[in-house]
Amino acid sequence: MIRRVDSLGLEFEFLPLYTSRMAAQHQHYVPKLLLRGFLSSNSEEAAKERVRVFDLVEKNEFATSIDNIMGERRFNDFWLDEEYLATVEPAAGRIESHVAPMVKRIRDEKRLLRTAEELGDLCLLMAFQFIRTKKMRQLPERLNRQILGHVERMGLDPTKVQGLELWDEEKLKREHVRHQLSNLVEYAKHFADKEFFLMVAPKGSSFYLGDHPVVLHSEEERHLMRGLGIGVPYIQIYLPLSAEVMLCAYCPAVLGQLMKGRDEEMTNGQGLALRALMEGRITAARMKEIVEVAKEHDDVTPLIKSIRAGEPVYIEPPQVQCYNSLQAFQAHRFVVDPDGKFDVAREMIGEREAADSDDADHAA
């Protein structure tokens, strides 16, 4: 169940269903709702709801139905005991159905309404898609494996270290469901603090969709040594909704930084012009002309106005490539490219292989 509680966002009841009989299903962690926005640019494949996929592990590409990708058999089901099975699949379906009309409208109109209801639903969409993926499920096991490796390199027996344990698939499922039930509202509250807007790709360019599609980026990551997280200052968060349209959620400080830089640049320019006027090097008319020209070249003010009016930001092909690299780098295993080119994914794999080769040479 989903119900409105205030202008900030939503309150969610995301409850599992318990049953002793349930047919096995292919259950998505990236829903068909999103995958339909990235159907193959080949019209025959698109008519069959097929997507072009690159496997970052096997390093091969293929076409497949959206029924078969970015999900697993019984992904949202887990056994309580030998007889009873629990599932959150119906709850996940209700959330998808709730946000589906909004996603379709945004794709069609390429603009945000920015109403309290829409902003709440955007928080729900971002939060749920962020925590529901295979990559998030595997996180405890991956962290545990790194700790085990560190303990072994220290010459210790991991089995004798308190708190270390092995994670099997059923335990990972139970922990993942527990995490979703306990934290969905808190994640949504973090997104409620963000500034939402859209980016639109130019004709001839397409956004990727990865299997962990809510990706994080920060220009301040190294400087502040904070890492990446949805609640850290200056974070930029991206979720492609279609090959053309990407939903963005920025920490307000990012836009504030842009405005501060604009103000400083204009103030410095006006100061130089004023000094020139006082020294008699330019006329008052020339100073006024310089100030007006500076305003005409102010790209930040129109950008902020567009964002706050719900209008999209139109970007260039190099920027699309950058955002596609985030999808590929932060994916668990699969990325979808409607054009089937996968240039960015292949380049990323090549760079990793070159780095691994260099590391091996240094180790030798």
Side-chain angles (χ1 to χ4, degrees), residues 2-295:
I2 304 166
R3 63 177 181 268
R4 184 77 47 193
V5 289
D6 56 34
S7 61
L8 179 65
L10 297 166
E11 181 176 289
F12 315 114
E13 291 182 358
F14 183 46
L15 303 176
L17 172 70
Y18 302 95
T19 180
S20 58
R21 294 183 181 181
M22 189 184 308
Q25 298 176 325
H26 182 91
Q27 298 167 345
H28 287 79
Y29 46 81
V30 177
K32 291 190 285 185
L33 161 69
L34 287 180
L35 287 164
R36 287 192 178 97
F38 299 85
L39 298 178
S40 171
S41 57
N42 180 300
S43 58
E44 292 183 4
E45 291 180 340
K48 298 176 182 177
E49 292 202 319
R50 294 170 70 82
V51 288
R52 302 295 309 184
V53 184
F54 192 86
D55 186 331
L56 296 167
V57 175
E58 298 295 332
K59 303 172 189 175
N60 67 325
E61 62 180 275
F62 57 92
T64 188
S65 167
I66 61 173
D67 292 331
N68 303 326
I69 196 64
M70 298 190 186
E72 293 180 2
R73 184 174 178 268
R74 291 197 184 281
F75 184 79
N76 289 320
D77 304 343
F78 58 97
W79 290 99
L80 297 174
D81 53 36
E82 293 183 356
E83 183 178 1
Y84 284 92
L85 192 69
T87 182
V88 292
E89 180 67 11
R94 287 195 295 273
I95 291 177
E96 291 169 17
S97 297
H98 180 79
V99 299
M102 175 190 67
V103 171
K104 183 180 186 306
R105 188 200 61 75
I106 292 173
R107 283 172 176 164
D108 292 343
E109 298 180 6
K110 298 181 177 62
R111 64 183 302 272
L112 298 180
L113 300 177
R114 293 181 62 84
T115 61
E117 181 177 5
E118 182 184 73
L119 292 174
D121 288 347
L122 291 174
C123 294
L124 170 58
L125 172 65
M126 278 272 202
F128 186 44
Q129 187 53 65
F130 182 68
I131 65 176
R132 70 184 296 190
T133 64
K134 178 77 170 181
K135 182 176 181 177
M136 287 295 285
R137 173 169 295 181
Q138 294 294 327
L139 183 60
E141 191 275 335
R142 186 165 65 250
L143 294 175
N144 198 61
R145 189 168 62 247
Q146 291 173 354
I147 295 171
L148 288 171
H150 182 69
V151 168
E152 290 173 348
R153 286 192 294 273
M154 294 173 63
L156 302 176
D157 183 354
T159 62
K160 297 181 180 179
V161 177
Q162 186 175 3
L164 292 180
E165 54 187 325
L166 296 176
W167 291 75
D168 61 23
E169 187 63 25
E170 282 301 310
K171 185 174 180 181
L172 283 170
K173 281 186 176 185
R174 288 193 295 271
E175 176 59 22
H176 190 209
V177 169
R178 184 204 64 77
H179 182 72
Q180 293 176 73
L181 295 174
S182 303
N183 296 295
L184 180 57
V185 172
E186 289 305 311
Y187 278 107
K189 287 179 180 178
H190 279 295
F191 283 107
D193 294 331
K194 305 297 184 282
E195 191 80 49
F196 283 95
F197 64 100
L198 301 176
M199 287 185 182
V200 174
K203 188 174 181 179
S205 295
S206 298
F207 290 121
Y208 281 9
L209 181 73
D211 59 5
H212 184 71
V214 178
V215 298
L216 312 182
H217 176 67
S218 175
E219 302 291 348
E220 303 293 322
E221 178 186 0
R222 293 183 181 179
H223 174 66
L224 296 175
M225 299 299 288
R226 293 179 183 269
L228 292 175
I230 62 174
V232 303
Y234 301 101
I235 197 67
Q236 303 169 25
I237 309 173
Y238 303 98
L239 171 61
L241 300 181
S242 74
E244 296 179 277
V245 180
M246 182 164 67
L247 179 63
C248 312
Y250 277 19
C251 170
V254 176
L255 301 184
Q257 227 177 17
L258 286 175
M259 290 187 286
K260 181 182 177 182
R262 173 211 58 194
D263 292 343
E264 289 176 350
E265 184 176 337
M266 294 190 72
T267 299
N268 290 338
Q270 290 171 2
L272 291 172
L274 179 60
R275 179 180 298 177
L277 174 66
M278 294 176 67
E279 293 174 352
R281 291 184 283 114
I282 62 173
T283 64
R286 176 57 180 156
M287 178 179 172
K288 182 179 180 181
E289 182 182 336
I290 290 172
V291 172
E292 292 302 318
V293 169
K295 290 180 180 178

